[in-house]
């Protein structure tokens, strides 16, 4: 049977997710294989070397770099406090003395007798890496990190901003078509992952931030509202480090687009449960999509991990349900009727690979294969 | 390298999303590209092995050609009968390509030379540091520390010149203790190509902390650039360090019969070869999903720039952010609500592999492409300059011309040929669309030929030129390059509707066409590929074809699949501010060149009958 290689977003009530938690630089892993962890559990830590401050001592003292040693009060490797004198000249009258003080507290890392510079490094900063999800540590890479496995419901969004967070899922609207307004949000949503419907606008964002909502999960947003939320026009979809007060995940796309019923129902079914989510998105090679993970609590059940999904095995097939992801049918669900192999001419006059699909109202349409995505379960 | 004759050649380009394979065969006494296959690139999970995508693309070539190329997961070489190929070669930009940071002493001299060197080697320059770039020193250190490039190129000082300044930059690099993007535990490759007298100091400072390589100074004297030794070193390190860390590349390198080179470096090679063989000035552009690469050869000097985040899929939204929505809208031949347009563009960004299904959607993408091309050329012009800081000898007559060193080499009047490549140009439904996108974006002056890469195979031909230049240039001329025609346009502006220029066109069939074009007119004449005509144009006052203001200009014009385009819209091309007027204006231009199908409504097809 014919098939097509098609991207898809995974929305499933039951999956085994493995999260590789790796430090950005070598450090210490604080868990062992088999440990049960919760989202905030520290799994590894590392010391990020402090910032380096070059101080051009030779310039400040008006001496040649080669003469530096005679004027330094500190040596390589020594610690200094902020504003402590690290070098000084010896004028005939003390009134004319010039002192060079440390711009920050730290340790003298190196001294250059060619350029007359001294490099002062701030104390290291401790990085603590959390487990992010409730689960079991199934693998440890010494000095680097660990893999945490969790048996959970798993929902991939299409785009998000903001980093990792966790909290209880709360439903704020009655159906996936309803727009999440500021009025829907109240004090009960503080510290929670709030699920909306077709859209959240800038007033909703302001209210969510004021209330201390951890995350918003909605069908769509308008681009100009995202711009006002971020304070700039996002050029490339590489996100996850924004500091906007909460994490935002959209499941469908830009515009007013009802959340897919399957996604909404799955989130609704887990209202009141603890979940982890991340807005991190990277659409270039090595795709990262935002996600909501709702652990089932039973972390030891052996299951197939997420890596082998249907799209990776063979792609779309006749009878599959697809979501159309480009105008003129953007957001509509349809069922694949045929996958003709010949190229066909479309309205733009391009010759492309197409599929035939049946819309919910019974009409058949022809679509470029590139403009549909699988709904994976 | 193989010792047997190369008659059947298999080439792949491992792109960031797609791996493309082509088969080149000797048919009679000429080389032709015969079959093509493609498959998703597989450097990422779950495969994490670039060779999976390569094998899939080769399998498609096998199916289409009927030739057995693979024996399991091995490429059969050399060819025998219907089996195998004589050589397999490849380029790669998978995994984000080659990302380099450059550093030098003086921003407009050694740093700029280092930048040209890295760009010419096919790299993306993540940042260019200079001792005098105005940033505080701690900020430079933080920048080196955070960027995590694949390698770092350090230049600075002429031979025998300054030592402390270049050593200072080396100290910043050492203080930052940079780590490479790929391969935990590996040292960052650093190439030192500065003042030879500073080598011992640089060796002492960076030798233990980095994988330091030392090569010839890229600016040994102020008046001269020597970029090739450092470029070769970049390519060597690309293979040894960067690609060796990327998933599956060790295997791919072992398959290839020639060194794998970065994709943009390969495209540059073929553009340079064309310019050299024809003795012409060329601009080449490759507009991709994430970046737009511009190549130019003027006065035999090759330059390449990469405009990261000016592309048509992953970075489409950034084009709009940089150009501004009004600049996109000025190319749209229909009215559009701003919110809908903004959302539509963002939806393309988050689902970058989708394709326009309606004509309006196509027109939006082609409008964005015009701006991406325009912005990338602007950036190219700023870097493709003569050497700065060079003392010029001036005569008395020169004193009246205010020319300075470091002027852009890109001279649109002197430009002979524009070559376009990349999906939006190569796969435009009508070739006239490719031609007008480039004409609108680049606003060429005088007589300029245009061509497009038929199926995006310039990277393959670039690497092929390293093993078989004849095959590469033959395939380039016969299968890759599609001549679009010639654009003839004067510089200057005038009131729309007033006379711009008159013309006399002597066609190959001896017919003589004469007429006058008003300011704002666009007229297309059929002139087929291979045909040549003589053109005489006389501009009105205020317009210049290159001979001077209002002066008659004659020249040969070449045909193509689109034809001869006489462009009296003026330079710069100005579209009406008022929406209805702009729509009328753009529709008139589109009609003049038969740009779009008549039927503008509708979708992929009309809805069929309700199913039973």
């Amino acid at each position: 049977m014919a098939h097509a290689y098609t991207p898809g977003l995974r929305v499933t009530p039951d999956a085994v997710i493995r999260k590789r938690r790796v430090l950005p630089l070598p450090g210490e892993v604080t868990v062992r294989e088999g440990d049960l962890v919760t989202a905030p559990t520290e799994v590894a830590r590392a010391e990020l070397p402090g910032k380096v401050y070059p101080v051009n001592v030779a310039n400040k003292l008006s001496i040649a770099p080669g003469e530096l040693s005679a004027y330094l009060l500190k040596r390589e490797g020594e610690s200094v406090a902020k504003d402590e004198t690290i070098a000084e000249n010896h004028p005939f009258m003390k009134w004319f003395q010039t002192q060079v003080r440390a711009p920050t507290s730290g340790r003298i890392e190196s001294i250059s007798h060619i350029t007359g510079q001294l490099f002062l490094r701030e104390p290291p900063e401790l990085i603590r890496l959390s487990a992010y999800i409730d689960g079991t540590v199934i693998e440890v890479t010494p000095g680097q990190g660990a893999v945490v496995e969790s048996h959970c419901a798993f929902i991939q969004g299409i785009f998000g901003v903001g980093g990792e967070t966790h909290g209880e899922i709360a439903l704020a609207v009655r159906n996936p078509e309803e727009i999440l307004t500021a009025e829907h949000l109240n004090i009960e949503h503080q510290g929670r992952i709030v699920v909306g419907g077709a859209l959240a606008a800038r007033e909703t964002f302001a209210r969510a931030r004021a209330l201390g909502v951890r995350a918003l999960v909605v069908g769509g947003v308008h681009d100009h509202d995202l711009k006002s939320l971020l304070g700039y026009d996002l050029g490339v979809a590489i996100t996850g480090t924004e500091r906007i007060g909460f994490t935002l995940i959209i499941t469908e796309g830009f515009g007013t687009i009802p959340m897919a019923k399957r996604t909404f129902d799955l989130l609704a079914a887990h209202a009141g449960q603890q979940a982890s989510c991340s807005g991190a998105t990277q659409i270039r090679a090595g795709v990262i999509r935002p996600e909501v993970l709702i652990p089932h609590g039973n972390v030891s059940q052996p299951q197939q991990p997420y890596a082998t999904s249907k799209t990776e095995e063979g792609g779309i097939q006749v009878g599959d349900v697809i979501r159309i992801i480009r105008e003129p049918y953007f957001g509509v669900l349809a069922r694949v009727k045929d996958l003709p192999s010949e190229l066909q001419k479309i309205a733009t006059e391009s010759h492309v690979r197409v599929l035939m699909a049946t819309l919910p109202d019974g009409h058949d349409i022809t679509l470029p294969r590139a403009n549909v995505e699988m709904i994976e379960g | 390298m193989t010792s047997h004759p190369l008659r059947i050649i298999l080439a792949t380009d491992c792109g960031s999303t797609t791996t493309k394979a082509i088969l080149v065969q000797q048919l009679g006494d000429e080389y032709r590209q015969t079959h093509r296959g493609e498959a998703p690139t597989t450097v990422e999970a779950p495969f994490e092995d670039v060779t999976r995508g390569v094998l899939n693309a080769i399998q498609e070539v096998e199916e289409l050609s009927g030739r057995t190329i693979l024996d399991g997961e091995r490429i059969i070489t050399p060819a025998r009968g219907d089996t195998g190929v004589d050589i397999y070669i490849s380029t790669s930009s998978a995994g984000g390509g080659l990302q380099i940071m450059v550093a030098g002493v003086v921003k407009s001299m050694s740093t700029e030379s280092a930048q040209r060197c890295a760009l010419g080697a096919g790299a993306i320059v993540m940042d260019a540091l200079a001792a005098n770039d105005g940033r505080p020193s701690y900020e430079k250190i933080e920048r080196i520390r955070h960027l995590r490039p694949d390698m770092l190129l350090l230049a600075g000082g002429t031979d025998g010149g300054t030592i402390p300044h270049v050593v200072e930059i080396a100290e910043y690099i050492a203080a930052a203790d940079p780590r490479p993007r790929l391969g935990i535990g590996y040292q960052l490759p650093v190439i030192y190509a500065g003042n030879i007298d500073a080598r011992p100091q640089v060796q002492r400072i960076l030798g233990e902390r980095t994988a330091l390589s030392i090569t010839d100074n890229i600016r040994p004297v102020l008046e001269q650039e020597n970029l090739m030794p450092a470029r070769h070193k970049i390519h060597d390190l690309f293979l040894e360090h960067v690609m060796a860390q990327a998933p599956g590349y060790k295997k791919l390198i072992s398959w290839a019969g020639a060194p794998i080179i970065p994709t943009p470096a390969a495209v540059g090679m073929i553009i340079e070869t064309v310019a050299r063989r024809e003795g012409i000035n060329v601009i080449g552009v490759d507009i991709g999903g994430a970046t737009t690469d511009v190549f130019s050869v003027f006065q035999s000097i090759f330059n390449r720039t990469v405009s990261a985040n000016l592309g048509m899929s992953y970075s489409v939204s950034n084009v709009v952010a940089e150009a501004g929505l009004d600049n996109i809208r000025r190319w749209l031949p229909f009215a559009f609500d701003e919110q809908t347009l903004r959302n539509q563009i963002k939806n393309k960004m988050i689902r970058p592999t989708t394709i326009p299904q309606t004509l309006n959607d196509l027109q939006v993408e082609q409008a964005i492409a015009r701006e991406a091309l325009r912005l990338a050329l602007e950036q190219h012009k700023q870097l493709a300059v003569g050497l700065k800081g060079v003392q010029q000898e001036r005569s008395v007559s020169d004193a009246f011309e205010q020319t300075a060193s470091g002027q852009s080499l890109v001279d649109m009047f002197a430009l002979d040929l524009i070559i376009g490549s990349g999906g939006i140009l190569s796969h435009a439904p009508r070739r006239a669309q490719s031609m007008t996108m480039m004409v609108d974006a680049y606003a060429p002056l005088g007589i300029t030929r245009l061509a497009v890469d038929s199926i995006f195979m310039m990277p393959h031909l670039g690497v092929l030129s390293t093993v078989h230049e004849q095959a590469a240039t033959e395939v380039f001329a016969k299968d890759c390059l599609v001549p679009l025609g010639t654009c003839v346009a004067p510089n200057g502006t005038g009131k729309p509707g007033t006379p711009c220029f008159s013309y006399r066109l002597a066609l190959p069939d001896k017919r003589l066409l004469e007429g006058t074009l008003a300011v704002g007119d666009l007229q297309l004449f059929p002139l087929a590929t291979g045909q040549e005509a003589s053109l005489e144009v006389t501009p009105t006052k205020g317009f210049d074809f290159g001979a001077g203001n209002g002066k008659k200009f004659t020249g040969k014009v070449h045909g193509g699949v689109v034809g001869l385009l006489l462009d009296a819209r003026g330079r710069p091309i100005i579209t009406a501010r008022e929406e209805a007027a702009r729509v009328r204006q753009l529709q008139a231009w589109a009609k003049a060149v038969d740009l779009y199908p008549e039927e503008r409504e509708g979708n992929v097809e009309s809805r069929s009958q309700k199913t039973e």
Side-chain angles (χ1 to χ4, degrees), chain B residues 464-479:
Chain B
L464 178 57
S465 71
T466 65
V467 294
H468 203 308
E469 187 169 328
Q470 182 204 346
T473 46
E474 276 184 26
V475 172
F476 185 73
K478 289 169 190 153
D479 300 312

Side-chain angles (χ1 to χ4, degrees), chain A residues 49 112 115 121 224 284 364 366, chain B residues 145 171 175 309 339 604 611:
Chain A
S112 170
T115 60
R121 192 180 286 277
H224 63 78
R284 291 197 186 176
D364 285 346
T366 306
Chain B
R145 195 165 123 166
E171 284 171 354
N309 297 332
Q339 179 165 289
V604 63
T611 48

Side-chain angles (χ1 to χ4, degrees), chain B residues 592-608:
Chain B
V593 293
D594 193 22
L595 206 55
Y596 300 115
E598 284 295 313
E599 180 56 57
R600 294 189 63 252
E601 297 301 319
N603 308 317
V604 63
E605 39 70 75
S606 54
R607 286 186 172 202
S608 64

Side-chain angles (χ1 to χ4, degrees), chain B residues 273-312:
Chain B
T273 305
V274 172
R276 194 181 66 238
R277 284 174 77 104
E278 305 286 325
I280 56 174
N281 295 325
V282 180
I283 287 179
V285 61
D286 174 14
I287 176 166
T291 65
T292 295
D293 297 349
V294 181
F295 312 82
S296 72
V297 183
F298 280 89
Q299 301 164 32
S300 303
I301 300 171
F302 171 77
N303 273 292
R304 170 188 171 255
T305 50
V306 56
S307 294
N309 297 332
L310 286 182
M312 289 308 299

Side-chain angles (χ1 to χ4, degrees), chain A residues 107-177:
Chain A
R107 193 176 58 83
I108 295 173
E109 187 165 86
S110 64
I111 296 163
S112 170
H113 295 281
I114 301 165
T115 60
Q117 296 207 100
L118 174 150
F119 290 88
L120 186 62
R121 192 180 286 277
E122 278 187 343
E125 185 190 334
L126 191 65
I127 303 171
R128 295 175 190 277
L129 186 67
S130 76
Y132 172 50
I133 50 173
D134 299 355
T136 311
V137 176
I138 59 158
E139 190 185 318
V140 165
T141 310
Q144 291 187 24
V147 178
V148 180
E149 183 179 277
S150 181
H151 185 193
C152 58
F154 180 53
I155 294 136
Q156 269 187 320
I158 189 73
F159 173 77
V161 286
E164 295 173 350
T165 189
H166 61 94
E168 195 180 284
I169 290 183
L171 216 60
V173 293
R174 284 159 298 182
N175 59 63
E177 290 82 26

Side-chain angles (χ1 to χ4, degrees), chain A residues 38 62 96 105 137 139 142 148 166 173-174 187 311 316 324 373:
Chain A
T38 59
S62 300
F96 293 113
S105 296
V137 176
E139 190 185 318
V148 180
H166 61 94
V173 293
R174 284 159 298 182
I187 193 68
T311 47
I316 207 161
I324 303 167
E373 69 187 11

